[in-house]
Amino acid sequence: MAMPRYRPLHLCLLILVIYTTPSIGLLNGTELLKAACNQTSDYAFCYATLTADPNAGGPQALAGDLANAALRLAQTKATHAQSLIPVLLQNATTSLDHNRLQMCQSSNNKAISQLSSANNDFNSDSLDTMVEEINTAARATNDCLNEIQDKGTHFSFLATINADLIKLYEICIVSTRYFTVEDLY
């Protein structure tokens, strides 16, 4: 079977395209952090969150460091929500509030399970599966948020945690777009 021949002009054009196309994979440190945060819905939240983490905010940070920081913070916040929901359930004054919180408890348990799986997949370099699991966690968290948002001040703290969780999921997913070979080792 004959190999296709490339004409010198085609080869030059290919090299020119590769050379002039900006490669997001070459970013690291502050440039990477800014580029990733620019792709999120809340730049200020993203930047403040990631610069607070010494691994993600450092000058040698890779995309994997950003994703890992966001994933760890999401797990911490989801666990915090998990401990808050039973307290809110005890203080629920109406059956509607109780039902909303039970739905949130179920959604939160699903999110925590998905985050645990995503963390395992992140550590085993199964990025496509990790992104799917984070998206599933985001949908579960959003289901709860939709149930409680603007439904009273007694839900406001849980709503804030869930809104932050959704932003952390987004940071993690956006960060994976900047992965290079170095992030996988």
Side-chain angles (χ1 to χ4, degrees):
M1 182 173 188
M3 295 287 290
R5 284 189 62 182
Y6 293 100
R7 296 185 181 159
L9 179 61
H10 290 134
L11 190 55
C12 288
L13 287 174
L14 179 62
I15 291 170
L16 182 64
V17 167
I18 291 171
Y19 182 73
T20 59
T21 302
S23 175
I24 60 176
L26 298 178
L27 298 175
N28 64 5
T30 305
E31 295 83 23
L32 172 64
L33 186 119
K34 288 178 181 178
C37 288
N38 272 328
Q39 298 300 312
T40 66
S41 60
D42 189 339
Y43 179 90
F45 176 86
C46 177
Y47 191 83
T49 298
L50 294 178
T51 54
D53 185 292
N55 293 320
Q60 300 304 314
L62 299 173
D65 299 322
L66 306 184
N68 188 38
L71 184 55
R72 282 185 291 107
L73 286 168
Q75 288 177 297
T76 301
K77 278 206 181 273
T79 302
H80 185 209
Q82 184 181 41
S83 65
L84 177 63
I85 293 170
V87 173
L88 293 173
L89 272 166
Q90 282 182 332
N91 297 326
T93 56
T94 69
S95 61
L96 184 58
D97 285 351
H98 196 268
N99 290 341
R100 285 182 173 132
L101 288 166
Q102 283 182 319
M103 195 283 302
C104 282
Q105 192 169 43
S106 175
S107 294
N108 182 261
N109 289 339
K110 182 175 185 176
I112 286 174
S113 173
Q114 291 297 306
L115 287 171
S116 177
S117 296
N119 188 52
N120 291 338
D121 288 328
F122 178 76
N123 291 326
S124 67
D125 300 331
S126 300
L127 295 180
D128 289 340
T129 305
M130 180 192 84
V131 168
E132 288 174 26
E133 290 159 344
I134 291 172
N135 278 321
T136 301
R139 284 189 295 276
T141 302
N142 197 53
D143 287 345
C144 172
L145 185 59
N146 287 336
E147 280 294 315
I148 62 171
Q149 196 167 31
D150 301 324
K151 301 292 195 264
T153 56
H154 51 285
F155 291 126
S156 62
F157 189 50
L158 181 59
T160 299
I161 292 171
N162 282 346
D164 287 351
L165 272 168
I166 291 168
K167 292 174 191 176
L168 289 167
Y169 301 148
E170 180 185 25
I171 293 168
C172 190
I173 291 170
V174 165
S175 297
T176 64
R177 297 178 192 158
Y178 292 87
F179 272 37
T180 65
V181 173
E182 290 178 11
D183 290 295
L184 302 175
Y185 295 102

